[in-house]
């Protein structure tokens, strides 16, 4: 587990450093673009800009033009890597609790419900011995883990993508009008 956490920290740290490097480059480009756009709008549409300072205009320009998806993808990857072992632990605890309190049947009880021939082999599952059938029935719980993890990962993507769309800024013109 320690190796996994170390690996996850290295991956998340590396991706974060790459993201910050990329964002710094984009910030420089956006600062140049904001300066040019401010001058253009000041000359062509002065009532839209109004009494906004160039610094405040640059903030609004960055807010509307900065690509936001890479930050959200980084957050999704980080939560996947950190949350997966936690979710697997919770699923294992849930499986243990359901077995402990009899919510799901014991595999030996399920195997006993199959019709067995004189040799003690199940006739419905291609003459499988009862021990192998118990392993098979026990491993059907893998679907529980599979769908639990699928739901967990889907919930992560849903959460971050709903935040992505809720926090979406308007166009530059809309933000300038809202600012006045």
């Amino acid at each position: 587990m320690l190796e996994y956490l170390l690996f996850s920290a290295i991956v998340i740290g590396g991706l974060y450093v790459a993201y910050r490097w990329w964002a710094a480059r984009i910030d420089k480009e956006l600062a140049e673009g904001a300066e040019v756009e401010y001058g253009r709008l000041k000359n062509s549409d002065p009532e839209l800009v109004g009494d906004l300072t160039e610094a405040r205009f640059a903030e609004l320009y960055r807010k509307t033009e900065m690509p936001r998806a890479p930050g959200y993808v980084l957050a999704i990857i980080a939560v996947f890597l950190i949350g997966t072992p936690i979710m697997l632990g919770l699923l294992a605890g849930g499986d243990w609790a359901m077995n402990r309190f009899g919510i799901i049947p014991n595999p030996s009880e399920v195997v006993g419900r199959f019709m067995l021939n004189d040799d003690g082999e199940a006739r419905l599952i291609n003459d499988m011995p009862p021990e192998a059938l118990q392993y098979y029935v026990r491993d059907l719980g893998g679907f529980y883990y599979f769908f639990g993890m699928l739901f967990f990962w889907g919930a992560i993507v849903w959460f971050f993508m709903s935040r992505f769309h809720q926090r979406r800024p308007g166009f530059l013109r809309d933000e300038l009008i809202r600012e006045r």
Side-chain angles (χ1 to χ4, degrees):
M1 183 68 183
L2 185 61
E3 294 89 6
Y4 177 79
L5 292 175
L6 183 61
F7 169 76
S8 296
I10 290 170
V11 168
I12 293 168
L15 289 174
Y16 182 75
V17 167
Y19 172 74
R20 294 306 309 161
W21 175 77
W22 171 83
R25 286 186 42 221
I26 297 296
D27 277 340
K28 288 179 186 175
E29 293 177 15
L30 288 176
E32 293 172 10
E35 185 178 326
V36 170
E37 188 70 14
Y38 182 77
R40 188 186 72 77
L41 284 176
K42 197 74 164 163
N43 291 332
S44 66
D45 199 1
E47 66 273 354
L48 179 63
V49 177
D51 58 348
L52 263 131
T53 64
E54 191 170 352
R56 181 62 185 145
F57 180 85
E59 289 175 25
L60 292 174
Y61 186 81
R62 183 188 184 286
K63 176 182 174 184
T64 59
E65 299 299 325
M66 179 70 173
R68 298 175 311 121
Y72 282 91
V73 169
L74 177 62
I76 288 171
I77 290 170
V79 173
F80 273 3
L81 289 175
I82 293 169
T84 296
I86 295 168
M87 187 63 185
L88 285 171
L90 291 173
L91 288 171
D95 186 35
W96 174 85
M98 287 189 291
N99 279 321
R100 172 76 170 87
F101 297 113
I103 297 171
I104 57 175
N106 192 350
S108 61
E109 294 172 8
V110 174
V111 170
R113 293 182 188 155
F114 284 101
M115 296 177 65
L116 302 176
N117 63 15
D118 295 335
D119 296 331
E121 296 176 342
R123 291 185 290 161
L124 297 176
I125 316 265
N126 296 331
D127 296 329
M128 184 182 291
E131 295 82 18
L133 188 56
Q134 282 182 335
Y135 286 121
Y136 173 74
V137 171
R138 187 193 69 196
D139 289 341
L140 288 176
F143 286 109
Y144 166 73
Y145 289 96
F146 172 76
F147 286 112
M149 291 307 297
L150 190 65
F151 175 78
F152 173 66
W153 290 337
I156 291 170
V157 171
W158 171 82
F159 173 76
F160 281 107
M161 288 299 98
S162 65
R163 288 182 57 92
F164 176 83
H165 290 292
Q166 288 169 354
R167 293 179 167 200
R168 182 186 65 213
F171 294 112
L172 180 61
R173 178 174 285 286
D174 299 334
E175 294 296 323
L176 290 173
I177 291 171
R178 190 173 302 132
E179 184 68 22
R180 287 190 293 154

